[in-house]
Amino acid sequence: MAVDWGGLLMNPGVVSATDYTSVASINIFVALLCACIVIGHLLEEHRWINESITALVIGLCTGCVILLTTQGKSSHILVFSEDLFFIYVLPPIIFNAGFQVKKKQFFHNFMTIMLFGAVGTLISFIIISLGAIGLFQKLDIGALEIGDYLAIGAIFSATDSVCTLQVLNQDETPLLYSLVFGEGVVNDATSVVLFHAIQNFDLIHIDAIVVLKFVGNFLYLFFTSTLLGAIAGLLSAYIIKKLYFGRHSTDREVALMILMAYLSYMVAELLDLSGILTVFFCGILMSHYTWHNVTEKSRITTKHAFATLSFIAEVFLFLYVGMDALDIEKWRSVSNSPGKSVSVSSILLGLVFVGRAAFVFPLSAVSNWRKKSPDEKITFKQQVTIWWAGLMRGAVSIALAYNQFTSFGDTEERGNAFLITSTITVVLFSTIVFGLITKPLVGFLLPPSTTGHLSSVTLSFTSEPSSPPRSYLSMLLGFGQESQVEEQTVPPPPPPDLRMLLTAPSRSVHHYWRKFDDKFMRPVFGGRGFVPFVPGSPTERSLHPCQPFKSEPEGDNPPPLSPVPGTS
Amino acid sequence: MAVDWGGLLMNPGVVSATDYTSVASINIFVALLCACIVIGHLLEEHRWINESITALVIGLCTGCVILLTTQGKSSHILVFSEDLFFIYVLPPIIFNAGFQVKKKQFFHNFMTIMLFGAVGTLISFIIISLGAIGLFQKLDIGALEIGDYLAIGAIFSATDSVCTLQVLNQDETPLLYSLVFGEGVVNDATSVVLFHAIQNFDLIHIDAIVVLKFVGNFLYLFFTSTLLGAIAGLLSAYIIKKLYFGRHSTDREVALMILMAYLSYMVAELLDLSGILTVFFCGILMSHYTWHNVTEKSRITTKHAFATLSFIAEVFLFLYVGMDALDIEKWRSVSNSPGKSVSVSSILLGLVFVGRAAFVFPLSAVSNWRKKSPDEKITFKQQVTIWWAGLMRGAVSIALAYNQFTSFGDTEERGNAFLITSTITVVLFSTIVFGLITKPLVGFLLPPSTTGHLSSVTLSFTSEPSSPPRSYLSMLLGFGQESQVEEQTVPPPPPPDLRMLLTAPSRSVHHYWRKFDDKFMRPVFGGRGFVPFVPGSPTERSLHPCQPFKSEPEGDNPPPLSPVPGTS
């Protein structure tokens, strides 16, 4: 998908008029962002009223105020721009997701994540498309083509897992967190790739060859995008490792990391690949190699600066969606048939429910069938949580809906207007209502004692295996004992089978990858263990008294902040 | 000056076309930014080939390549947009300038800086305007009104001190650095305020009342802008101090600082004040109060993240100016009279020389007359350095010239075309040629031994007086002795009169300000010494073995990076 950045930012004919209104609207927006942050901070005890909901509600309220002050005329203070979203807002969010992901967890559960994210999204896409074809034709909401129905499938397959992730705790439920998180990113990428594949293909004549081409195109996009991200990440690691021998220059290092990451996204867009996947894998590789090649100051700076950028982008996004939802022009065309509008939204919500259930439970069974350890299996309650986590629809859906159903801001056509407004309704409803229910639901499904047990088992199983194999056993045992000590304070669960934990990963792809990584990749691209020894700052250590793996011979600095992933 | 941010970023009717060219141009641009950073790093030994010149030359080369590949047709890949400059690029640069400024130095030399920055710029403005009126009328370059001539004065009074600052060393020549740096920022603000005052006033009928109103307006803008920046900075400090008592949340703190700073700039633009001054003073207050209220991680992150943003913006800017300089359309109108174009540029360069000399030397005399200590006086060689430092013209000049002499991208009118191309010529010539000469010149004027002496004196005199008066004496004496020890390795200079050093600042405004600050401001807004004691990280201390003021009772953490200002 290519985007009109030039039109947005470098338009040669930009009128530098004294546009009071636009400056005013920026001011309102930035002030609202500040308000969201402050209110979000004050509401932090209520973890189920998360920042997304706050921003969405503040956006809606502001939209109301603007609508009232302009007497219902202008609500065009801010209109959702797909380009703005895909060029400015999405890249930092996805990059940060890759940068902060617990790589060990992510790669250990890689197959399951891909199963859910790619195959699951395809199943959901097929069900929602078929359901829409079946149900909408009775409603008479205007002329929709086959491409539109398929687009609906792709639009409503794109989940927004941010809300659930804010409820799940990465340290308490690492397996679940990693599945929901990983699925969310892969799902975004899959939906966008699907969507653009639909737009590019001639879908009037569907036959076996078209379907095969479609699948081939999809796989091609998937792998080339990943490869491009990996190349960008490795290139940045290599350049910074080479430059590091000269002088330290924190600002240059940080600047280069930001620019290389953004470049990877834009190159992917240029080559019509999936920028989301590219920048996600670029983030993973940067945190695995590049991040370890920079100075300690740069490490702290990048970690927090990327998280901050992503945070601002997320709040901005929900605020934006909230304000845009009240854009009166979109609602004008559907206002004479409110019942039909409600029906469309309800049908779509129902399809989202069914489409998600249709892959979460079967694919969980597939995943459990593959796993041998009972601790690795996904329990039914966890399956329900995964199912629920993916019910929220967010900005990706809105952006795709705008792309499909508006052309040059035109929502006059009946069918298009219905689908735009329904998308907004589904997004608002699912984010706010489901978002509010999520916390109690997760609390009910996964009470603290269970999650505490799960966490210790899964953590001891998958975390920190980046040292040479000879110390792996001792580390694992050491940590296993530690987790057992912890477990004595919670109701006694069945003790984890340590032998299983020892044998399982050694057979996994992950294990061979680490061997390859240690032998070939790290000597070239740096990363943990190949940076000249710098004594770790005792402050940082004192912040993390429970850092378990001090015995590593390479002795690189421990991660600056333990609750934030991406350092291990 | 209000700006069309909305038009740039939130245009409701933005066409989300698959614009291959614009994505390609972003890619080229980001890749070039990376190249500039890497090449700048490799050239760092040659401090006189600084990043600005590298970026400018790379920009010019790229412009040539584009011109050749499109066979002279299109050079519109990137055209300088005033809005882009004033909305995205300038705020981070100016904010970072305020954030990283050595406040003690800045405020100690405040009167001299204001003298050079405000009065000096006015003198330069008058001379360049009068010179242009006198000399251009003989050249017959098209119809120019009195407003145009005054605008020329304002445009060419805006200096670009970045090049010289990259050569001067803040630790070696703190007085000079502080003067050049402070003057640069105040000068930018003065020129922009002047320029907009010229545009807003009816300048056909100039009489005493108009002049008085003009001066009144100028002073009003100056003080309200400063006040607004101060309010924004204090507000951020207050909010973060209050929130700090709850939880630590690094990302929120950093996000809030960024957003509040940007908000101050945009509010100033909204109220038609000078955003430059506002964001500069906001930066100063944030580094004085807010920065001390946040967590240690946030401190490191903000310091480096702001520096990185400013760094990227600067490189971007010079690259942009370099590429835009080859825009063929601008040169078309003047291509049939190259001699006249050269004359206009030469006259402007000459006026820049004269206009700057006309205030640097007289005002230095005024400043020296006020000072009693011989060490505080500005020597003739330093005066020459200050004069030279302000000869470069940069992006502010280009942005203002575009604002005045283009309307809707139209440079067809002869006079306008001449002035646009001459501005570009002056900027390129001064940045590259003067920039290359600066290093040898500064080396000749201020040989290391002299600067070494100057530095120790001025440092012991002005740095770090933020502790209560009782420890001031011991600190000063301690450091005075240290500097004398250092001086034994260089040719013996006259020893600084310590009694003078002790008496002079106590009478200054700065001294009373500090008393007020300690008694009223810090208890409310936080800042150094009022944050709950956090043991300083020994790593940071070990990085700065020469940190002189360990004896401070407040014992807040020493600044993370000693070469970077803004922490004292």
Side-chain angles (χ1 to χ4, degrees):
Chain A
M1 132 209 67
V3 272
D4 187 23
W5 199 78
L8 280 167
L9 202 54
M10 305 249 173
N11 193 338
V14 152
V15 185
S16 60
T18 309
D19 193 342
Y20 182 85
T21 326
S22 63
V23 178
S25 69
I26 299 167
N27 272 300
I28 293 171
F29 218 96
V30 180
L32 286 176
L33 280 175
C34 292
C36 287
I37 292 172
V38 172
I39 294 170
H41 180 88
L42 295 176
L43 291 176
E44 200 172 272
E45 274 96 28
H46 310 273
R47 256 174 85 198
W48 46 290
I49 303 183
N50 56 45
E51 220 109 27
S52 317
I53 299 179
T54 314
L56 207 51
V57 171
I58 289 178
L60 280 171
C61 295
T62 316
C64 286
V65 171
I66 293 167
L67 218 57
L68 289 175
T69 48
T70 58
Q71 284 146 7
K73 273 180 202 165
S74 164
S75 55
H76 257 255
I77 178 171
L78 292 168
V79 171
F80 195 89
S81 150
E82 195 208 349
D83 291 339
L84 178 68
F85 174 71
F86 276 113
I87 291 297
Y88 295 111
V89 181
L90 198 57
I93 296 176
I94 303 289
F95 174 72
N96 187 56
F99 196 75
Q100 314 273 6
V101 74
K102 276 200 169 162
K103 293 181 297 296
K104 306 293 165 324
Q105 278 284 346
F106 181 81
F107 284 110
H108 186 75
N109 301 316
F110 191 72
M111 291 313 293
T112 315
I113 287 170
M114 292 308 284
L115 205 63
F116 281 114
V119 181
T121 305
L122 280 174
I123 295 174
S124 169
F125 158 70
I126 291 167
I127 287 177
I128 293 173
S129 298
L130 291 178
I133 292 173
L135 294 167
F136 282 179
Q137 281 167 351
K138 294 174 196 155
L139 276 175
D140 176 38
I141 56 162
L144 292 175
E145 293 169 5
I146 180 78
D148 289 331
Y149 287 113
L150 293 178
I152 291 170
I155 289 166
F156 288 96
S157 298
T159 65
D160 179 26
S161 320
V162 175
C163 290
T164 312
L165 285 185
Q166 288 178 343
V167 171
L168 291 178
N169 188 315
Q170 186 160 21
D171 296 320
E172 280 172 14
T173 52
L175 171 66
L176 208 57
Y177 188 95
S178 139
L179 286 182
V180 171
F181 174 88
E183 191 223 318
V185 173
V186 178
N187 165 285
D188 278 357
T190 310
S191 320
V192 174
V193 169
L194 259 179
F195 182 80
H196 287 281
I198 291 163
Q199 289 198 318
N200 293 339
F201 270 82
D202 171 31
L203 290 163
I204 310 296
H205 319 286
I206 296 180
D207 55 19
I209 294 170
V210 170
V211 171
L212 267 182
K213 267 190 184 170
F214 187 90
V215 172
N217 190 24
F218 181 82
L219 291 175
Y220 163 80
L221 285 180
F222 227 97
F223 288 107
T224 45
S225 302
T226 308
L227 189 69
L228 180 63
I231 290 171
L234 291 177
L235 190 64
S236 77
Y238 186 76
I239 290 175
I240 288 179
K241 185 166 175 255
K242 282 284 163 199
L243 290 182
Y244 187 86
F245 291 122
R247 280 159 301 285
H248 296 232
S249 49
T250 298
D251 301 341
R252 277 212 194 87
E253 284 174 347
V254 177
L256 205 60
M257 281 174 82
I258 294 174
L259 290 172
M260 293 281 288
Y262 193 67
L263 188 63
S264 78
Y265 185 87
M266 290 311 296
V267 168
E269 296 295 302
L270 185 73
L271 302 176
D272 269 328
L273 304 176
S274 166
I276 296 176
L277 268 183
T278 303
V279 81
F280 179 70
F281 279 95
C282 179
I284 289 179
L285 274 122
M286 276 199 177
S287 78
H288 190 62
Y289 296 109
T290 320
W291 192 75
H292 291 279
N293 297 345
V294 299
T295 61
E296 200 183 330
K297 305 277 173 204
S298 294
R299 268 180 254 171
I300 299 174
T301 304
T302 46
K303 176 164 294 300
H304 294 294
F306 294 158
T308 304
L309 284 178
S310 168
F311 173 73
I312 293 177
E314 267 174 35
V315 176
F316 176 87
L317 195 57
F318 281 101
L319 197 57
Y320 200 21
V321 168
M323 286 178 89
D324 182 57
L326 287 172
D327 180 26
I328 205 154
E329 284 189 14
K330 294 192 208 80
W331 297 95
R332 204 162 277 157
S333 327
V334 298
S335 58
N336 48 1
S337 48
K340 215 171 268 182
S341 180
V342 171
S343 307
V344 173
S345 304
S346 311
I347 289 172
L348 287 171
L349 263 176
L351 288 173
V352 165
F353 269 82
V354 174
R356 192 153 177 86
F359 78 84
V360 168
F361 300 106
L363 291 183
S364 296
V366 171
S367 174
N368 286 344
W369 171 73
R370 276 178 57 244
K371 302 281 167 110
K372 295 197 175 84
S373 155
D375 299 301
E376 277 188 293
K377 291 189 194 288
I378 307 166
T379 66
F380 181 71
K381 284 182 175 180
Q382 289 177 318
Q383 294 177 22
V384 175
T385 311
I386 294 171
W387 171 70
W388 184 266
L391 290 182
M392 272 72 97
R393 292 296 173 271
V396 172
S397 298
I398 290 192
L400 295 182
Y402 270 66
N403 185 296
Q404 178 74 17
F405 298 114
T406 63
S407 45
F408 301 87
D410 166 40
T411 50
E412 294 302 309
E413 213 198 317
R414 254 174 80 80
N416 289 354
F418 270 115
L419 286 169
I420 291 285
T421 52
S422 300
T423 309
I424 292 171
T425 311
V426 169
V427 168
L428 288 184
F429 185 84
S430 64
T431 304
I432 295 178
V433 178
F434 297 174
L436 287 174
I437 299 171
T438 301
K439 169 82 177 182
L441 188 80
V442 170
F444 171 76
L445 288 172
L446 309 166
S449 65
T450 319
T451 58
H453 162 56
L454 266 170
S455 84
S456 56
V457 171
T458 325
L459 253 181
S460 69
F461 183 74
T462 55
S463 68
E464 279 299 326
S466 63
S467 54
R470 67 183 179 282
S471 67
Y472 189 55
L473 176 66
S474 61
M475 278 157 49
L476 191 60
L477 285 173
F479 194 50
Q481 283 155 6
E482 197 178 313
S483 72
Q484 280 179 325
V485 170
E486 276 172 7
E487 276 157 24
Q488 287 171 359
T489 61
V490 297
D497 186 354
L498 277 175
R499 191 176 298 161
M500 191 79 81
L501 300 186
L502 285 172
T503 51
S506 63
R507 271 175 298 163
S508 71
V509 181
H510 191 187
H511 175 77
Y512 291 105
W513 157 249
R514 282 200 300 104
K515 274 190 144 175
F516 174 73
D517 192 31
D518 286 335
K519 206 160 184 183
F520 298 103
M521 301 296 276
R522 289 185 175 171
V524 179
F525 298 109
R528 180 136 123 153
F530 279 87
V531 177
F533 180 81
V534 181
S537 118
T539 309
E540 294 190 347
R541 287 226 174 106
S542 69
L543 287 172
H544 312 285
C546 53
Q547 195 71 24
F549 305 124
K550 284 274 168 55
S551 60
E552 279 189 63
E554 292 88 357
D556 196 29
N557 302 316
L561 274 188
S562 65
V564 188
T567 60
S568 55
Chain B
M1 135 206 70
V3 272
D4 187 25
W5 199 78
L8 281 167
L9 202 53
M10 305 253 174
N11 193 340
V14 151
V15 186
S16 61
T18 309
D19 192 342
Y20 181 85
T21 325
S22 63
V23 177
S25 69
I26 299 167
N27 272 301
I28 293 171
F29 219 95
V30 180
L32 286 176
L33 280 175
C34 293
C36 285
I37 292 171
V38 172
I39 294 170
H41 180 88
L42 296 176
L43 290 176
E44 201 172 89
E45 275 96 27
H46 311 273
R47 257 173 84 198
W48 47 289
I49 302 183
N50 56 46
E51 221 109 27
S52 317
I53 298 179
T54 313
L56 207 52
V57 171
I58 289 178
L60 280 171
C61 295
T62 316
C64 286
V65 171
I66 293 166
L67 217 58
L68 288 175
T69 48
T70 58
Q71 285 147 8
K73 272 179 202 165
S74 163
S75 55
H76 257 253
I77 178 170
L78 292 166
V79 172
F80 194 88
S81 149
E82 197 208 347
D83 290 339
L84 177 69
F85 174 70
F86 276 113
I87 292 296
Y88 295 109
V89 181
L90 197 57
I93 296 177
I94 303 287
F95 174 73
N96 187 56
F99 196 75
Q100 314 272 6
V101 73
K102 276 199 170 165
K103 291 182 295 298
K104 305 294 166 321
Q105 277 286 347
F106 181 81
F107 284 110
H108 186 77
N109 301 317
F110 191 71
M111 291 313 294
T112 315
I113 287 169
M114 292 308 284
L115 204 64
F116 280 114
V119 180
T121 305
L122 281 174
I123 295 174
S124 168
F125 157 69
I126 291 168
I127 287 177
I128 294 173
S129 298
L130 292 179
I133 293 173
L135 294 167
F136 281 0
Q137 281 169 348
K138 294 175 196 155
L139 276 175
D140 175 40
I141 56 162
L144 291 175
E145 292 168 9
I146 179 78
D148 289 331
Y149 286 114
L150 293 178
I152 291 171
I155 290 166
F156 288 98
S157 297
T159 64
D160 180 27
S161 320
V162 174
C163 290
T164 311
L165 285 184
Q166 289 180 342
V167 170
L168 290 178
N169 187 315
Q170 186 160 19
D171 295 319
E172 280 172 14
T173 53
L175 169 66
L176 208 57
Y177 188 94
S178 140
L179 286 182
V180 171
F181 174 87
E183 193 223 316
V185 173
V186 178
N187 165 284
D188 278 356
T190 311
S191 321
V192 174
V193 169
L194 258 180
F195 182 80
H196 287 281
I198 292 163
Q199 289 197 318
N200 293 340
F201 272 82
D202 172 29
L203 290 163
I204 311 295
H205 317 286
I206 296 181
D207 55 19
I209 295 169
V210 170
V211 171
L212 268 181
K213 268 190 182 167
F214 187 90
V215 171
N217 189 26
F218 181 81
L219 291 176
Y220 163 79
L221 285 179
F222 227 97
F223 287 107
T224 44
S225 303
T226 308
L227 190 69
L228 180 65
I231 291 171
L234 290 177
L235 190 65
S236 77
Y238 186 77
I239 291 174
I240 288 179
K241 187 168 173 251
K242 282 285 163 198
L243 290 182
Y244 187 85
F245 291 121
R247 280 161 302 284
H248 296 231
S249 49
T250 298
D251 301 341
R252 277 211 193 89
E253 284 173 345
V254 177
L256 205 60
M257 281 175 81
I258 295 174
L259 290 172
M260 292 283 287
Y262 193 67
L263 188 63
S264 77
Y265 185 87
M266 290 311 295
V267 168
E269 296 295 302
L270 185 72
L271 302 176
D272 268 329
L273 304 176
S274 166
I276 295 176
L277 267 183
T278 302
V279 82
F280 179 70
F281 278 96
C282 180
I284 289 180
L285 274 121
M286 276 199 177
S287 77
H288 191 62
Y289 296 109
T290 321
W291 192 75
H292 291 280
N293 297 347
V294 299
T295 61
E296 200 182 329
K297 304 279 173 205
S298 294
R299 267 178 253 171
I300 299 174
T301 304
T302 47
K303 177 165 293 300
H304 293 295
F306 294 158
T308 304
L309 284 178
S310 168
F311 173 73
I312 293 177
E314 267 174 37
V315 175
F316 176 86
L317 194 57
F318 282 100
L319 198 55
Y320 201 19
V321 168
M323 285 177 90
D324 181 57
L326 287 172
D327 179 26
I328 206 155
E329 285 188 15
K330 295 191 208 82
W331 297 94
R332 205 163 276 156
S333 328
V334 298
S335 58
N336 49 0
S337 48
K340 217 172 267 182
S341 180
V342 171
S343 306
V344 173
S345 305
S346 309
I347 289 172
L348 287 171
L349 263 177
L351 288 172
V352 165
F353 268 83
V354 174
R356 191 151 178 88
F359 78 83
V360 168
F361 300 107
L363 292 181
S364 296
V366 171
S367 173
N368 285 345
W369 171 73
R370 277 177 58 247
K371 303 282 169 111
K372 292 191 179 91
S373 155
D375 298 301
E376 276 190 291
K377 290 188 195 289
I378 307 165
T379 65
F380 180 71
K381 283 182 174 177
Q382 289 177 317
Q383 294 177 23
V384 174
T385 310
I386 294 172
W387 171 70
W388 183 265
L391 290 182
M392 271 71 97
R393 292 296 172 271
V396 173
S397 298
I398 289 192
L400 296 181
Y402 270 66
N403 185 294
Q404 178 73 16
F405 299 114
T406 63
S407 45
F408 300 87
D410 165 40
T411 50
E412 293 303 308
E413 212 199 316
R414 252 173 81 81
N416 290 354
F418 269 116
L419 286 169
I420 290 286
T421 51
S422 300
T423 309
I424 293 171
T425 311
V426 169
V427 167
L428 289 184
F429 185 83
S430 64
T431 305
I432 296 178
V433 178
F434 296 174
L436 287 173
I437 299 172
T438 302
K439 169 81 174 180
L441 188 79
V442 171
F444 171 74
L445 288 172
L446 309 165
S449 64
T450 318
T451 58
H453 161 55
L454 266 170
S455 86
S456 54
V457 171
T458 325
L459 252 181
S460 67
F461 183 73
T462 55
S463 71
E464 278 298 326
S466 64
S467 54
R470 66 183 182 283
S471 68
Y472 188 54
L473 176 67
S474 61
M475 278 158 47
L476 191 61
L477 285 173
F479 195 52
Q481 284 156 5
E482 197 178 315
S483 73
Q484 280 181 326
V485 171
E486 275 174 8
E487 275 158 23
Q488 288 172 359
T489 61
V490 298
D497 184 356
L498 277 176
R499 190 175 298 162
M500 191 78 82
L501 300 185
L502 286 173
T503 51
S506 62
R507 272 174 298 163
S508 70
V509 181
H510 190 187
H511 175 77
Y512 291 104
W513 157 249
R514 281 201 299 108
K515 274 189 143 176
F516 173 73
D517 192 30
D518 286 335
K519 207 161 185 182
F520 297 102
M521 300 295 278
R522 289 184 177 174
V524 179
F525 298 109
R528 180 136 122 151
F530 280 86
V531 177
F533 180 83
V534 181
S537 120
T539 309
E540 294 189 348
R541 287 226 174 104
S542 70
L543 287 173
H544 312 284
C546 54
Q547 195 73 23
F549 307 123
K550 284 274 168 60
S551 60
E552 278 189 64
E554 289 88 357
D556 195 30
N557 302 317
L561 273 187
S562 63
V564 187
T567 59
S568 55

